[in-house]
Amino acid sequence: MIRNKRLIAVLAAALALVMALSGCSTTTVEAYTDTTDTTATTTESLDFEAAYNYYDPDTVIFYVDGTGVTWQELFYEIMYYTAYVEYQEGSEITSWSDVCSLFTDSDGNYYTYGAVVLQNAITVLEQYHIVYDHLAAEGVTLGKDALDSIEALREQVIEENFDGDEDAFYDYLDSMYCTEELWNWFNEVDAMYAYDGFDTLYGEFGSDLSDEDVMAYAAGDEDGTWTQYVQIKQIYIYTEEEAEETEETTEDTEETEETTEDAEEAEETEAAEDAATEEASAESGTVDAILAALDAAEDVDAAFDELYSQYNENADLDPYEGGWCIYEGDTDDEIYQAALELGEYEYTVVSIDGADVIVMSVPIDPDAGVYYDSSTGTMYTLRYYAAWQNYSDLINGDDGWIASAEAEWADGFDSFSLSTIFAEAAAAAAETEDTTE
């Protein structure tokens, strides 16, 4: 049996919903994750075909909120995480009871390969079934965008990994004990989550989320998962070009003084220096003029907009009508930190590398822009970001769908482990072969 390590690149869903390796725990169904998983005799090689054939593919191994998870599903995930661990460690697993160097418990003890592979296989299936069942209960179905994304992923996988050979792709699925139906299901759940689930629960671009929920999100997370949002207007006055010109002319002057006493060249250099100085002074005067105009304005907000149209030199700000909603790390930290200190309609000058920026704080608008995608002309708003955070909390939060789910082993599988199953399957296969002979 060939375990093709291209699985890591090929079969991971493009819109990955959850990964067991992220550490999300879910249910009462747990693999034997201690460091003493020695429930069977160590084997020199693992017979995946014998193990797969040990149970009927439709055999239910465990339940998640009453939904049965089959051997077909679990075995594919066992194959996936076996390939993943082998890829990460750079060596083949020959015994489930050997220790894996990738993960340790709280005391620093390494888990066995059997524990790592099985726990991750179980966890990811728990998560996918929980999300699928909840979204289906909410009436979520696959719309055109979701279906198009699945087809695009399929075509991309076949083209990039199998040189466009569709038959080779299906042969590969067979080699990994993954049916086409199962491969489609994982990607359908991803697409439901990314497209129709979000739109059904929160509206297109989060339009159904209340202003109150948006503002609660904008205040930041108490645990610091995301920072407070502030909304600002800015006028950029660039200084970097002038500084470079001044430096260049200074170098020219030094070189001229060292290499020639030609009066005409010296006069030209002096004139260039004077021009650069005057230009830099003009920029400084522009900032002062803007501040003076704001100081004198009765309607500071309207005056700022007018001054922006006259003086701003950063066209990237043009799509953010009404101001840009920012968080820490989203722009220059000097600008963000200054904005945090400003009251509504207060303003200041922030000097960053290459520019002087007049920054004014404005009240947060739930529909203010956070990110503009120039390639599609799409503005992603604060409401959109807040809706996605609420969506994530609904699924992955402390009281979310995953944390609240219940799971249990099916009858007869409460002592399930890979060491036991593979050893028993290998013995059964050998006995069958001896009988046949």
Side-chain angles (χ1 to χ4, degrees):
M1 172 61 206
I2 299 174
R3 279 168 277 164
N4 192 325
K5 292 179 176 57
R6 283 194 300 168
L7 175 72
I8 301 304
V10 174
L11 293 183
L15 300 169
L17 170 60
V18 283
M19 284 292 292
L21 292 173
S22 68
C24 289
S25 70
T26 50
T27 67
T28 56
V29 171
E30 294 182 356
Y32 291 94
T33 55
D34 62 17
T35 57
T36 58
D37 186 4
T38 56
T39 56
T41 303
T42 298
T43 57
E44 292 301 321
S45 63
L46 303 182
D47 190 338
F48 281 82
E49 185 172 0
Y52 176 74
N53 291 326
Y54 195 58
Y55 298 113
D56 184 281
D58 294 329
T59 300
V60 173
I61 307 298
F62 63 93
Y63 293 91
V64 182
D65 281 342
T67 297
V69 179
T70 67
W71 181 234
Q72 178 74 70
E73 296 172 84
L74 180 58
F75 199 82
Y76 160 65
E77 288 299 323
I78 290 169
M79 292 293 295
Y80 180 96
Y81 284 107
T82 297
Y84 180 89
V85 170
E86 290 180 337
Y87 175 80
Q88 292 295 320
E89 290 207 315
S91 60
E92 186 173 353
I93 298 172
T94 59
S95 171
W96 296 121
S97 299
D98 289 343
V99 295
C100 174
S101 67
L102 300 178
F103 302 98
T104 61
D105 63 17
S106 58
D107 294 324
N109 299 311
Y110 287 104
Y111 291 120
T112 65
Y113 285 120
V116 169
V117 170
L118 184 56
Q119 186 60 68
N120 281 286
I122 289 172
T123 301
V124 77
L125 285 167
E126 289 173 343
Q127 294 174 356
Y128 267 78
H129 275 284
I130 290 165
V131 171
Y132 175 80
D133 289 346
H134 276 276
L135 291 180
E138 295 287 346
V140 177
T141 57
L142 291 173
K144 183 179 184 303
D145 288 345
L147 292 170
D148 287 348
S149 75
I150 295 171
E151 180 58 26
L153 173 63
R154 176 181 169 278
E155 292 176 358
Q156 179 184 351
V157 166
I158 293 173
E159 182 62 34
E160 293 182 359
N161 295 277
F162 301 97
D163 297 324
D165 187 341
E166 189 172 28
D167 290 337
F169 168 63
Y170 291 122
D171 288 344
Y172 178 67
L173 291 184
D174 289 340
S175 76
M176 299 307 301
Y177 301 98
C178 181
T179 65
E180 182 182 1
E181 179 182 17
L182 181 57
W183 190 84
N184 286 336
W185 180 77
F186 276 108
N187 289 288
E188 286 168 4
V189 177
D190 285 336
M192 287 176 69
Y193 167 79
Y195 292 90
D196 302 289
F198 177 77
D199 288 352
T200 297
L201 296 176
Y202 294 96
E204 188 175 12
F205 286 92
S207 59
D208 292 341
L209 190 68
S210 70
D211 288 355
E212 181 180 6
D213 285 339
V214 177
M215 296 307 291
Y217 168 77
D221 178 51
E222 292 181 357
D223 296 329
T225 306
W226 69 92
T227 59
Q228 177 184 348
Y229 281 79
V230 288
Q231 189 167 334
I232 59 174
K233 293 183 177 182
Q234 303 169 87
I235 299 174
Y236 267 70
I237 306 297
Y238 286 115
T239 60
E240 185 174 14
E241 182 177 349
E242 287 74 24
E244 290 175 352
E245 289 178 357
T246 302
E247 182 179 350
E248 289 172 1
T249 54
T250 300
E251 291 175 354
D252 289 343
T253 301
E254 293 173 352
E255 184 177 349
T256 300
E257 290 175 348
E258 291 175 1
T259 60
T260 181
E261 295 296 325
D262 187 277
E264 184 177 351
E265 289 185 10
E267 289 176 3
E268 290 176 355
T269 301
E270 185 178 356
E273 288 179 332
D274 291 342
T277 302
E278 290 174 5
E279 200 166 353
S281 177
E283 296 298 343
S284 176
T286 300
V287 171
D288 292 341
I290 292 171
L291 294 176
L294 291 173
D295 290 343
E298 293 184 7
D299 186 339
V300 177
D301 193 31
F304 199 100
D305 290 344
E306 178 62 28
L307 292 164
Y308 175 92
S309 66
Q310 293 180 50
Y311 296 108
N312 177 62
E313 297 175 354
N314 183 358
D316 290 342
L317 299 175
D318 289 350
Y320 296 92
E321 184 177 356
W324 183 19
C325 211
I326 63 172
Y327 53 90
E328 188 172 11
D330 194 25
T331 185
D332 293 272
D333 190 60
E334 295 91 337
I335 292 176
Y336 176 76
Q337 296 300 331
L340 285 176
E341 301 299 321
L342 295 174
E344 290 184 0
Y345 302 114
E346 291 182 349
Y347 44 88
T348 189
V349 179
V350 179
S351 294
I352 61 174
D353 187 24
D356 288 331
V357 186
I358 299 92
V359 179
M360 182 172 72
S361 174
V362 296
I364 290 180
D365 177 357
D367 293 305
V370 175
Y371 171 70
Y372 178 71
D373 185 350
S374 58
S375 66
T376 62
T378 304
M379 177 64 77
Y380 295 94
T381 66
L382 181 62
R383 192 181 303 276
Y384 172 83
Y385 276 73
W388 267 104
Q389 185 59 53
N390 276 260
Y391 191 33
S392 176
D393 290 343
L394 176 68
I395 296 173
N396 295 301
D398 292 340
D399 299 318
W401 294 346
I402 290 175
S404 302
E406 296 182 358
E408 60 182 356
W409 291 105
D411 290 343
F413 292 99
D414 54 348
S415 60
F416 188 96
S417 79
L418 294 186
S419 295
T420 299
I421 297 305
F422 273 72
E424 291 179 356
E431 182 178 349
T432 300
E433 185 177 345
D434 290 342
T435 303
T436 302
E437 292 176 356

